[in-house]
Amino acid sequence: MSVMDDAQILWDYHQLHHEPRDTDIGIGLGSHDIGVAEHAAELWHEGRYPLIVFTGANAPTTVDVFPRGEAIHFAERAQELGVPADAILTETAATNTAENFTLTHELMVGLGLRPSSATVISRPYQQRRAFATGRKVWPELDLVCSTRMQSLDDYIGTIGDVDRVLNMLVGDTQRIWVYAERGHALPQEMEGNVREAYLRLVKNGYVERII
């Protein structure tokens, strides 16, 4: 197996292929990937939801790119793409995926809003973890996940840094079982070939994002 073969196994594992449907809100999860904001805007223009909440402060991987916070920069990008300001809310304190959901929930409650369903927009390899986390910490919210449909090669080309993408893939894969063990997410099935691909990538030095 080559490094890229193993990366493809992890990439495929994180894809959920949820069928798009209309929901009460969209929740755009902050990250280093501005494509999340762009896809959230695309779905808004398709009429999938009337309101987008962008959530995220900063992480070591984003502070240089989005110095005013992920949610702020994502909201600005969505507005550049034609989403009106009154269709966007920002949650600017979350520093992890669980907080993306819990703090968005607090924001909704504070505004007197009670969404029963949400489209969760994330980077492609965060889908499974986002779904497992959201179902754990906001169980009454009916979730559907969405991301831009891209191949791994195309995504690497968009980000422009293969090592960064592979390190993030490895980190997100490890967090599937670690966060479930810590009670932050629902457990997810993981076939042996996925765990083996993860271990080979770790052995090859892709350890920057593991816990």
Side-chain angles (χ1 to χ4, degrees), residues 162-194:
V162 63
D163 286 344
R164 182 174 198 168
V165 172
L166 266 58
N167 275 299
M168 297 292 282
L169 259 175
V170 169
D172 265 52
T173 302
Q174 184 204 32
R175 283 162 174 78
I176 291 290
W177 69 81
V178 170
Y179 285 179
E181 290 168 357
R182 294 180 180 179
H184 302 318
L186 295 180
Q188 298 289 293
E189 292 185 8
M190 182 178 293
E191 294 183 357
N193 67 321
V194 176

Side-chain angles (χ1 to χ4, degrees), residues 87 138 144 160 200:
W138 196 347
V144 57
R200 285 192 294 266

Side-chain angles (χ1 to χ4, degrees), residues 5-211:
D5 287 336
D6 285 332
Q8 186 67 54
I9 290 171
L10 300 193
W11 178 269
D12 291 342
Y13 172 69
H14 290 284
Q15 310 302 310
L16 293 182
H17 305 292
H18 285 174
E19 192 70 29
R21 53 187 168 83
D22 296 349
T23 55
D24 294 335
I25 60 172
I27 302 176
L29 304 183
S31 71
H32 65 91
D33 182 3
I34 197 65
V36 172
E38 295 167 351
H39 186 55
E42 292 168 359
L43 294 175
W44 184 88
H45 283 296
E46 291 174 7
R48 289 299 180 187
Y49 39 70
L51 179 69
I52 308 172
V53 183
F54 289 113
T55 166
N58 272 127
T61 55
T62 66
V63 66
D64 292 336
V65 182
F66 304 128
R68 289 176 290 115
E70 298 155 6
I72 298 299
H73 286 270
F74 280 27
E76 291 173 350
R77 181 60 180 145
Q79 289 180 65
E80 291 172 358
L81 294 171
V83 181
D86 62 4
I88 298 172
L89 294 173
T90 56
E91 183 292 302
T92 61
T95 59
N96 57 57
T97 307
E99 288 182 354
N100 287 142
F101 287 103
T102 58
L103 296 180
T104 295
H105 181 248
E106 290 178 11
L107 176 64
M108 295 285 97
V109 170
L111 293 172
L113 301 174
R114 297 289 191 276
S116 62
S117 60
T119 300
V120 179
I121 307 100
S122 71
R123 56 190 190 268
Y125 55 86
Q126 192 186 7
Q127 289 178 82
R128 184 177 294 275
R129 183 162 65 88
F131 183 75
T133 304
R135 293 296 299 128
K136 176 70 175 184
V137 303
W138 196 347
E140 66 272 24
L141 191 66
D142 182 18
L143 298 181
V144 57
C145 291
S146 187
T147 189
R148 275 185 167 169
M149 297 302 295
Q150 292 177 282
S151 69
L152 174 57
D153 287 342
D154 286 345
Y155 186 77
I156 290 171
T158 298
I159 299 301
D161 187 337
V162 63
D163 286 344
R164 182 174 198 168
V165 172
L166 266 58
N167 275 299
M168 297 292 282
L169 259 175
V170 169
D172 265 52
T173 302
Q174 184 204 32
R175 283 162 174 78
I176 291 290
W177 69 81
V178 170
Y179 285 179
E181 290 168 357
R182 294 180 180 179
H184 302 318
L186 295 180
Q188 298 289 293
E189 292 185 8
M190 182 178 293
E191 294 183 357
N193 67 321
V194 176
R195 187 78 68 124
E196 291 164 4
Y198 162 83
L199 291 172
R200 285 192 294 266
L201 287 167
V202 168
K203 186 176 181 180
N204 276 290
Y206 293 97
V207 297
E208 290 181 8
R209 292 290 295 165
I210 65 173
I211 301 170

